[in-house]
Amino acid sequence: VPSLPPATAPTGATQLVRVRTDVLDAHIDINGGDIVYAALPQHATSLETPDRPSVLLQQDKVRTYVAQSGLIGRDGTDTAAGRPRYSVAAESFTLAEGQNDLVVELQYETEQHVQIRKRYLFTRGQYLVGVNYRIDNLSEKPWQGALFGQLKRDGSDEPNVVPGGLGIHSYLGAAAPTTETTYEKLKFGDFADKPFDQTLTGGWIGIIQHYFLSAWVPDQKSQNRLTTVLTGDKMHIVRFTAPTQDIAAGSSGEFNAQLYAGPKDQYVLRDIAPGLELSVDYGVLWMIAQPIFWLLTKIHSYLGNWGWSIVIVTLFVKILFFWLNAKAYVSMV
């Protein structure tokens, strides 16, 4: 297995490319081509601040939580010595009215004349971002490398979340499938003593918080390695590593993956990768909560108003259990 670049690999001067769609406001660092900021304009931090979007990914004095990807291995561009500095056609990209897709392409050429194009594909209304690497080997020797994608987060608390009753906090940690189950929680506190390491077909690996999550989804047809790491500076890393590819001289090859950064919509997540929808945790009452939520979403699809949808679901539940409640009241009398 090729070694990965450290989480603190030097990147030099920072230059950010801003990408705006109807649901995402992202910043891409041309050093490495990582997404170092992602805000969600359709999800405000609170009712009191409707113009202030929730921030999921960020890299500043408050928090480090970024989505990184690159090429590793014998001829990989992401090494312990540093990351590639890409060139890009513009400093900002915006999804225009009537436009469904937006492609942001970063370009880099090695000293051996291997051209690398890293493309992000943003789609209207979607929090799932396509990530494509195209390698054009213009050298006289074969190129060999593998794709990795990782989420890096410090140990800070989740922002804008008030503890529930009795001071109970929602889960903040990692999750991934295994060879035996489609969903397993990976607590940050276990990264040091019990690092996660699984190789399976497809898969995904992500970081879960109360309302939102981020997750890397590699090629679902390939054998991918999923791992966790706790770095010396207390950064939590969750990563996938794709199989190594050999690209002959004069030929081309591609790597593909997807990055989800958005709300925990179980019906959207279910269609992305098996088990990802289980990040929506209903707790011990999931057998009751799951059908109630399904009914709530169906009613909302007709009414378009969550308030009235909740009222109707409440009335429906009251009617459904009227006989049982009546018997209970009679018994108490």
Side-chain angles (χ1 to χ4, degrees), residues 62 96 126 152 162 187 190 197-198 203 208 254 262 316:
V62 176
Q126 293 190 16
K152 178 177 73 171
V162 179
K187 297 179 181 180
D190 294 336
D197 193 338
Q198 292 269 315
I208 315 295
E254 291 189 352
F316 177 81

Side-chain angles (χ1 to χ4, degrees), residues 184-307:
E184 181 173 321
K185 288 183 177 179
L186 312 172
K187 297 179 181 180
F188 284 160
D190 294 336
F191 278 26
D193 298 328
K194 296 187 295 183
F196 181 78
D197 193 338
Q198 292 269 315
T199 299
L200 66 162
T201 302
W204 55 271
I205 192 163
I207 293 179
I208 315 295
Q209 57 189 56
H210 194 186
Y211 301 112
F212 309 107
L213 80 150
S214 60
W216 276 107
V217 184
D219 187 341
Q220 295 296 285
K221 296 181 180 179
S222 64
Q223 285 282 314
N224 303 297
R225 186 183 180 192
L226 310 178
T227 56
T228 63
V229 176
L230 179 66
T231 66
D233 55 353
K234 304 301 181 182
M235 290 292 173
H236 303 92
I237 304 287
V238 300
R239 102 178 18 123
F240 81 86
T241 308
T244 297
Q245 283 194 36
D246 291 282
I247 301 175
S251 62
S252 302
E254 291 189 352
F255 291 97
N256 289 284
Q258 293 175 303
L259 172 68
Y260 185 88
K264 291 158 68 174
D265 186 329
Q266 63 176 334
Y267 299 115
V268 171
L269 298 174
R270 178 186 58 191
D271 296 332
I272 295 175
L276 194 54
E277 76 279 6
L278 298 178
S279 59
V280 182
D281 189 357
Y282 293 105
V284 295
L285 298 177
W286 69 269
M287 292 185 66
I288 299 174
Q290 181 83 2
I292 291 178
F293 181 73
W294 176 86
L295 178 62
L296 180 64
T297 55
K298 287 296 182 182
I299 295 174
H300 178 264
S301 66
Y302 289 101
L303 298 182
N305 184 291
W306 286 111

